[in-house]
Amino acid sequence: MSQLKKTPKIPVLEIFGPTFQGEGRSIGQKTMFVRTGGCDYSCAWCDSAFTWDGSEKPDLLTADEILAQLDALGSYGHVTISGGNPLLHASIGTLVDALKSRGITMSVETQGSYWQNWVLDIEDVTISPKPPSSGMTVDYDRLDVFFKRLPEQQRAVKIVIFDEADLDFAAAISDRYALKTLYLSLGNPDPAEEGTIAPRMLSDLKTLWERVAADERFNHARVLPQLHALVFANDRGV
């Protein structure tokens, strides 16, 4: 007797939108967000530590259940699959297939530590290796895989910047992969800070702009804020 095939489940912590992508190459893109649980990193300044620190438990949902929640929120043409590190989960391939069949475009961000073949069907893949300020160590053998397998037009590289060591790291990443464009994203030092943070972040952005403008290593760089933090501060689900 043949066994029934189990429907893959995806660990989901948040589904929200419509909203806008706040950073990287897709900044300003109207999108829905599906935030998955689990991460193989524990960055010192992570703004979504609830995805990996055990403080919240994800719901295990099928692709059809996720689509139903997205549909209930409003109209959309783009979905951002976020985390944590979404590429820990092979099961996300079922959601990618379902969205693709509807003509929905997608974005995903990862530190480049685990490969899944479903990422080849994502139009906008942000590879975000973590700099020294994160406290993490990059596995370059694993990171290399993304640059070997992903077509250049599908991928972008974003580095979060807090200090000079992070800038040196970004320059080294750019050299290693001969990047034509490098996205530098202003870091948010305290994701738990309450109230308006825009004045502080704009001041920090001005400082970073001035620093990068004077550095010939970054003539191909685009220095961006975390737009969502300027608008919504550290609120969740926006």
Side-chain angles (χ1 to χ4, degrees), residues 149-160:
R149 297 182 182 177
L150 267 177
E152 186 175 358
Q153 66 269 21
Q154 279 180 255
R155 54 176 161 83
V157 177
K158 184 194 79 177
I159 310 292
V160 178

Side-chain angles (χ1 to χ4, degrees), residues 67 92 139 235:
L67 288 176
I92 289 177
D139 184 329
D235 293 346

Side-chain angles (χ1 to χ4, degrees), residues 100-219:
K100 187 177 180 181
S101 71
R102 289 185 171 198
I104 304 297
T105 58
M106 291 165 276
S107 297
V108 70
E109 180 173 323
T110 178
Q111 58 264 44
S113 54
Y114 279 87
W115 174 265
Q116 299 286 353
N117 285 333
W118 56 255
V119 79
L120 292 168
D121 288 321
I122 303 285
E123 290 84 356
D124 181 12
V125 181
T126 295
I127 304 168
S128 185
K130 304 310 177 188
S133 62
S134 70
M136 299 293 101
T137 300
V138 174
D139 184 329
Y140 285 98
D141 289 336
R142 292 189 174 197
L143 185 59
D144 288 347
V145 169
F146 284 78
F147 291 89
K148 292 175 181 176
R149 297 182 182 177
L150 267 177
E152 186 175 358
Q153 66 269 21
Q154 279 180 255
R155 54 176 161 83
V157 177
K158 184 194 79 177
I159 310 292
V160 178
I161 302 297
F162 284 90
D163 54 32
E164 194 70 25
D166 290 351
L167 284 170
D168 290 341
F169 172 84
I173 289 287
S174 183
D175 287 345
R176 182 182 182 91
Y177 299 110
L179 300 180
K180 297 176 182 177
T181 304
L182 172 64
Y183 294 86
L184 302 179
S185 183
L186 176 70
N188 180 8
D190 185 5
E193 183 179 354
E194 297 181 353
T196 300
I197 63 175
R200 171 179 58 75
M201 294 202 72
L202 287 172
S203 177
D204 290 346
L205 180 63
K206 179 176 181 290
T207 299
L208 182 57
W209 272 7
E210 291 170 346
R211 171 65 186 81
V212 171
D215 194 330
E216 64 180 9
R217 297 178 299 174
F218 299 114
N219 288 345

Side-chain angles (χ1 to χ4, degrees), residues 7-8 27 29 32 36 69 89 91 105 127 129 132-133 147 189 205 212:
T7 303
I27 193 168
Q29 168 77 58
M32 294 290 198
T36 59
Q69 291 194 35
H89 310 297
S91 57
T105 58
I127 304 168
S133 62
F147 291 89
L205 180 63
V212 171

Side-chain angles (χ1 to χ4, degrees), residues 45-107:
W45 34 253
C46 181
D47 62 1
S48 52
F50 60 91
T51 63
W52 51 262
D53 66 5
S55 61
E56 298 187 23
K57 184 177 180 180
D59 294 320
L60 296 178
L61 304 178
T62 66
D64 286 344
E65 289 170 332
I66 294 170
L67 288 176
Q69 291 194 35
L70 289 170
D71 292 346
L73 289 171
S75 64
Y76 59 98
H78 189 87
V79 171
T80 300
I81 302 170
S82 187
N85 182 8
L87 274 88
L88 292 177
H89 310 297
S91 57
I92 289 177
T94 59
L95 176 62
V96 171
D97 289 344
L99 290 169
K100 187 177 180 181
S101 71
R102 289 185 171 198
I104 304 297
T105 58
M106 291 165 276
S107 297

